[in-house]
């Protein structure tokens, strides 16, 4: 069943969403693409909406994709799918191995995991910055988008501007530029 | 008589439990939407509410919990809420807390996507969205940069990072396999290095007080 499919896909992602948020975008994009839940352009819009809303960008995207694919039941299925693993894993940790972060196995698996998560996030950034479009790669939209992206990067890393202010400013910049 | 006293005690306990569950739900219901940007922005608010205002947990316990919330799969906010809920009221507590932190965002998103479908075709809205799309790309890049600063600290991690990006760009493999491979790879590499008698450092060493979140030991990869 369709709803079940949504739940299952996000459940899988939820169990492996180490690093939360942005790292999971690549996984969500893969599932969305291969299941044909929405087009790439719609997915980019979804992530923008998720970024605008409070809370985790991964959970937000799950909600929106579920809603887009199957209405309210879909939204509930996808959201509970991505959240349930947190609940299960955290309860297990809290009940049985509280000091997990000092554990040798955990430490050494994270040694291999962290660089891969970095790769996943970078991949998500590249994927969003250079959407596969017919025609020239460097058109006005791509250029403007990259400019805003670069400005955002500098504003957050160097001047520690709050993400909410950046989203609002970028919306204004969008209206002016495009 | 005795039975009646026991009965009223049970009712009292039940009520106390219900009010704790409701308190958990309500605290996280308020925290959910107030913390735009998710993750570590949320952490200070959670600490303030749980350890400061309500004295539900000790401060050091909250710090410990946050490092775990950062390493378990899932968003750090949801993980932290599940953890606190479980510590205070076992599984019902965890469920109440997670529902509390999820529900407001769910409702906000629901409303937002409703308005978006209504206004989608207005040119000004489209333009604003293109701008926001750019900002989101920037925010993702910031996340990669922060993660990379912590993750790529020696030659092995640099190679693993570059290889995973290359694989994703060239093959379009399911990223889930990469994550699973990463879990195994880390353990294997550490084992092999130890076998050859090499010194193994599994984490970038933090200098005290350098961490901008103020909690040493918390990995800053979730913004």
């Amino acid at each position: 069943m369709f709803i079940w499919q949504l739940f299952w896909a996000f459940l899988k992602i939820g169990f492996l969403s180490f690093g939360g948020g942005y790292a999971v975008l690549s996984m969500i994009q893969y599932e969305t693409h291969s299941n044909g839940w929405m087009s790439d352009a719609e997915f980019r819009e979804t992530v923008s909406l998720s970024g605008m809303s409070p809370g985790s960008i991964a959970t937000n995207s799950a909600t929106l994709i579920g809603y887009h694919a199957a209405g309210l039941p879909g939204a509930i299925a996808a959201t509970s799918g991505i959240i349930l693993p947190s609940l299960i894993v955290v309860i297990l940790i809290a009940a049985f191995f509280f000091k997990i972060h000092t554990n040798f196995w955990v430490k050494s698996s994270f040694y291999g995991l962290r660089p891969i998560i970095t790769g996943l996030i970078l991949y998500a950034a590249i994927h969003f910055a250079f959407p596969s479009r017919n025609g020239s790669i460097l058109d006005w939209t791509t250029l403007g988008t990259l400019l805003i992206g670069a400005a955002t990067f500098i504003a957050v890393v160097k001047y520690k501007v709050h993400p909410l202010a950046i989203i609002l400013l970028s919306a204004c910049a969008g209206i002016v530029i495009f | 008589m005795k039975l009646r006293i026991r009965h009223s005690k049970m009712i009292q306990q039940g009520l106390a439990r219900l009010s704790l569950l409701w308190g958990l739900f309500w605290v996280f219901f308020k925290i959910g939407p107030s913390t735009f940007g998710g993750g570590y922005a949320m952490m200070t608010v959670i600490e303030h509410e749980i350890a400061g205002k309500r004295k539900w947990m000790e401060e050091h316990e909250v710090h410990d919990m946050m490092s775990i919330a950062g390493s378990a799969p899932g968003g750090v906010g949801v993980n932290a809420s599940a953890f606190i809920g479980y510590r205070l009221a076992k599984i019902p507590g965890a469920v109440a807390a997670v529902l509390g932190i999820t529900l407001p965002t769910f409702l906000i998103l629901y409303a937002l996507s409703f308005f978006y479908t209504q206004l989608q075709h207005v040119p000004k809205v489209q333009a604003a969205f293109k701008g926001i799309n750019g900002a989101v790309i920037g925010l993702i890049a910031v996340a990669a940069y922060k993660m990379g600063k912590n993750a790529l600290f020696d030659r092995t991690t640099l190679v693993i990072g570059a290889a995973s990006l290359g694989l994703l760009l060239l093959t379009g493999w399911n990223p889930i396999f990469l994550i699973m491979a990463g879990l195994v790879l880390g353990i294997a590499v550490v084992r092999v290095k130890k076998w050859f008698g090499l010194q193994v450092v599994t984490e970038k060493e933090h200098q005290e007080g350098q961490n901008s979140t103020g909690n040493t030991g918390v990995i800053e990869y979730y913004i």
Side-chain angles (χ1 to χ4, degrees):
Chain A
M1 218 176 86
F2 192 51
I3 301 280
W4 174 249
Q5 233 180 3
L6 272 166
F7 176 76
W8 179 242
F10 283 104
L11 190 77
K12 266 192 304 190
I13 294 171
F15 270 113
L16 292 167
S17 63
F18 294 96
Y22 297 97
V24 191
L25 283 180
S26 298
M27 289 190 241
I28 296 180
Q29 199 262 334
Y30 182 89
E31 288 289 334
T32 307
H33 191 81
S34 57
N35 283 299
W37 286 325
M38 47 171 63
S39 71
D40 261 13
E42 284 168 329
F43 182 70
R44 271 199 302 283
E45 279 166 21
T46 298
V47 174
S48 294
L49 263 178
S50 307
M52 284 169 62
S53 320
S56 145
I57 201 166
T59 318
N60 293 353
S61 313
T63 308
L64 288 174
I65 291 166
Y67 181 69
H68 182 95
L72 185 59
I76 294 172
T79 309
S80 38
I82 205 162
I83 279 173
L84 202 59
S86 288
L87 201 59
I88 296 169
V89 173
V90 169
I91 287 174
L92 284 177
I93 292 173
F96 299 110
F97 5 83
F98 182 54
K99 287 281 175 196
I100 190 156
H101 56 298
T102 53
N103 179 295
F104 166 79
W105 293 96
V106 174
K107 278 200 161 175
S108 44
S109 56
F110 266 76
Y111 177 72
L113 202 56
R114 268 188 228 113
I116 288 183
I117 292 172
T118 313
L120 283 177
I121 305 175
L122 263 177
Y123 178 63
I126 291 171
H127 186 89
F128 279 101
F130 302 99
S132 44
R133 216 187 265 126
N134 304 328
S136 68
I137 299 176
L138 274 181
D139 58 0
W140 181 230
T141 308
T142 315
L143 208 69
T145 309
L146 286 179
L147 233 102
I148 294 177
T152 299
F153 185 84
I154 294 166
V156 174
V157 172
K158 232 181 152 185
Y159 301 105
K160 306 208 184 302
V161 182
H162 195 274
L164 184 58
I166 285 176
I167 296 274
L168 290 176
L169 283 174
S170 69
C172 299
I175 293 176
V176 175
I177 297 177
F178 301 118
Chain B
M1 190 63 184
K2 248 186 190 166
L3 195 77
R4 203 187 289 162
I5 291 171
R6 220 172 65 198
H7 227 90
S8 72
K9 236 186 189 166
M10 267 171 68
I11 291 171
Q12 258 177 17
Q13 274 173 355
L15 282 178
R17 208 171 149 69
L18 266 184
S19 94
L20 176 61
L21 288 181
W22 172 253
L24 272 167
F25 175 82
W26 187 238
V27 163
F28 285 106
F29 191 87
K30 282 187 303 183
I31 290 174
S34 69
T35 48
F36 184 89
Y40 286 107
M42 215 175 254
M43 288 290 124
T44 33
V45 185
I46 292 180
E47 197 189 309
H48 176 74
E49 283 278 341
I50 304 302
K53 239 168 87 183
R54 297 184 185 242
K55 306 245 179 300
W56 274 345
M57 283 166 94
E58 298 283 328
E59 210 167 289
H60 68 90
E61 215 182 344
V62 176
H63 284 178
D64 254 11
M65 179 211 71
M66 281 171 196
S67 347
I68 297 166
S71 24
V76 83
V78 175
N79 289 351
S81 70
F83 212 115
I84 292 166
Y86 182 81
R87 291 293 290 225
L88 293 172
K90 298 293 165 204
I91 291 175
V95 173
V98 168
L99 276 180
I101 207 164
T102 314
L103 205 58
T105 337
F106 189 87
L107 296 176
I108 289 170
L109 269 176
Y110 202 71
L112 210 63
S113 64
F114 175 77
F115 284 118
Y116 182 67
T117 34
Q118 300 290 310
L119 299 171
Q120 205 171 8
H121 302 294
V122 181
K124 284 249 185 317
V125 174
Q126 281 177 343
F129 251 80
K130 279 186 190 162
I132 293 171
N133 191 25
V136 168
I137 294 168
L139 289 176
I140 300 173
V142 172
Y145 170 75
K146 283 190 172 176
M147 183 75 212
K149 263 205 320 196
N150 277 311
L152 313 173
F153 61 91
D154 62 7
R155 238 175 289 164
T156 319
T157 47
L158 260 173
V159 169
I160 297 176
S164 65
L165 180 63
L167 273 175
L168 284 166
L169 287 172
L170 293 174
T171 64
W173 276 353
N174 191 342
I176 285 178
F177 294 131
L178 276 180
I179 290 276
M180 292 201 279
L183 285 167
V184 181
L185 194 65
I187 294 167
V189 169
V190 171
R191 280 276 140 127
V192 169
K193 277 192 173 178
K194 282 209 165 155
W195 183 267
F196 283 109
L198 293 167
Q199 204 203 347
V200 189
V201 184
T202 53
E203 243 165 66
K204 189 182 175 184
E205 278 162 51
H206 281 282
Q207 272 159 355
E208 283 292 323
Q210 263 209 344
N211 202 321
S212 61
T213 54
N215 312 319
T216 41
V218 176
I219 304 150
E220 212 186 322
Y221 52 48
Y222 193 93
I223 58 166

